[in-house]
Amino acid sequence: MTQLDDSYDVVVLGGGAAGLNAALMLARSRRSVAVIDAGAPRNAPAQGIHGLLGREGMPPLELLELGRAEVRGYGGHIVSGEVVSVARAGNTSGAEFLVTLADGSTVSARRILVATGLADELPDVPGLREHWGHDVLHCPYCHGWEVRDQRIAVLASGPMSVHQALLFSQLSDDIVFLSHTADPLTAEDTEKLVARGIRIVDGKVVEVLGADRLTGVQLADGSVVECDALVVGPRMNTRATFLTDLGLIPEPHPSGMGDHIPADPMGRTSVPGVWIAGNATDPSAQVGAAAAAGAMAGAQINAELVMAETAAAVDARRAESSAV
């Protein structure tokens, strides 16, 4: 990892697909850019990335290493560290923001791009976390093909659980909906599940069974529902809580899946100079969508800086002309 310089045009917070693709766009535009990465990618437990053209099945860490090399190839810096705060820096040397890391070091930037992703808050069921990312899943597009035609159970753990069950029914004819501790199903949702051949099992799930491989779940009454894969809906919490001093406070996402920091389609937040891309603002974005959002934000940040520099150049030229 590279050591931080004192200041950059842009500091990117987070070194996943969104952050690295933004840094790539910025570095190719000859911007000084640093990516500060805490080294805890959300998809690290997964065996491969899916739905990303040209990189289907690639291990997540391998993709990140390729991305880091590409950013470095254009002069970008990749720095290991954890950000604890972002504050206004005043007008010191043209920098607008001061980023503080957990080790006490600081770096200034003209613009900030937040790409810290999110953290999955899993249901509190013994044995579940040990299988997370392998045979405990959440996304049919990320992992559905890998469990096709298997026995799949869906744990009602969030507002999207019925939707998850319906999507996974496209991949297998053996789907069980576990009501767990959720509110009773509406008549409409029950009808949808039954129409798709999904079996509904009531009762609280008290344990996920299986050592190396998941074999089933045990209910509070002692009965066991055998399955090869378990689908859950984790609460998705943004990691960008260090932005509160700037007035950017996480808000509930409209889907009910967790929280996020709102932004416009380009990645611009409500705080001038602070941009955001990837799961920190869009919890449902897969790797490809997060990378695309990072590329868009990086290009827009560069354009904003070009316009600011052009305005300054025009002012300087006018000042010179009036002094003659």
Side-chain angles (χ1 to χ4, degrees), residues 100-251:
T100 302
L101 279 63
D103 63 5
S105 60
T106 60
V107 60
S108 60
R110 298 171 64 192
R111 298 292 186 272
I112 296 292
L113 174 64
V114 180
T116 47
L118 54 80
D120 292 300
E121 183 180 329
L122 297 175
D124 186 17
V125 178
L128 186 149
R129 180 169 291 278
E130 289 79 356
H131 293 275
W132 175 241
H134 300 287
D135 36 24
V136 172
L137 319 165
H138 77 289
C139 173
Y141 303 108
C142 302
H143 310 289
W145 175 265
E146 284 64 42
V147 296
R148 67 194 185 282
D149 297 327
Q150 297 183 26
R151 300 171 299 176
I152 302 172
V154 179
L155 183 70
S157 55
M160 302 296 287
S161 296
V162 170
H163 183 64
Q164 286 178 307
L166 295 174
L167 291 180
F168 272 93
S169 71
Q170 174 65 22
L171 297 156
S172 174
D173 294 329
D174 191 345
I175 307 290
V176 177
F177 185 87
L178 304 169
S179 65
H180 191 43
T181 58
D183 294 334
L185 290 167
T186 65
E188 181 182 1
D189 283 341
T190 299
E191 184 178 30
K192 289 177 180 178
L193 295 175
V194 172
R196 292 289 290 190
I198 298 170
R199 184 162 56 99
I200 300 170
V201 175
D202 293 325
K204 181 180 180 181
V205 174
V206 295
E207 187 177 2
V208 173
L209 306 175
D212 295 333
R213 293 290 304 173
L214 180 139
T215 59
V217 298
Q218 183 173 334
L219 304 182
D221 63 5
S223 61
V224 172
V225 176
E226 295 182 348
C227 58
D228 305 302
L230 179 64
V231 177
V232 301
R235 176 177 171 78
M236 301 177 182
N237 300 315
T238 181
R239 292 168 167 166
T241 55
F242 49 77
L243 297 173
T244 54
D245 289 344
L246 292 175
L248 288 173
I249 299 172
E251 299 178 9

Side-chain angles (χ1 to χ4, degrees), residues 22-114:
L24 184 64
M25 296 292 283
L26 289 159
R28 281 178 51 83
S29 295
R30 307 189 75 174
R31 292 292 174 190
S32 61
V33 58
V35 177
I36 301 175
D37 183 28
R42 176 194 179 201
N43 61 358
Q47 294 180 339
I49 292 167
H50 299 290
L52 183 60
L53 189 64
R55 290 291 184 264
E56 178 64 25
M58 174 176 282
L61 297 182
E62 183 178 340
L63 178 71
L64 295 184
E65 191 52 48
L66 287 172
R68 294 185 193 112
E70 289 170 351
V71 171
R72 291 192 190 103
Y74 290 102
H77 290 174
I78 311 293
V79 180
S80 178
E82 180 182 353
V83 175
V84 295
S85 70
V86 180
R88 287 287 179 187
N91 295 319
T92 306
S93 302
E96 296 193 27
F97 301 96
L98 186 68
V99 179
T100 302
L101 279 63
D103 63 5
S105 60
T106 60
V107 60
S108 60
R110 298 171 64 192
R111 298 292 186 272
I112 296 292
L113 174 64
V114 180

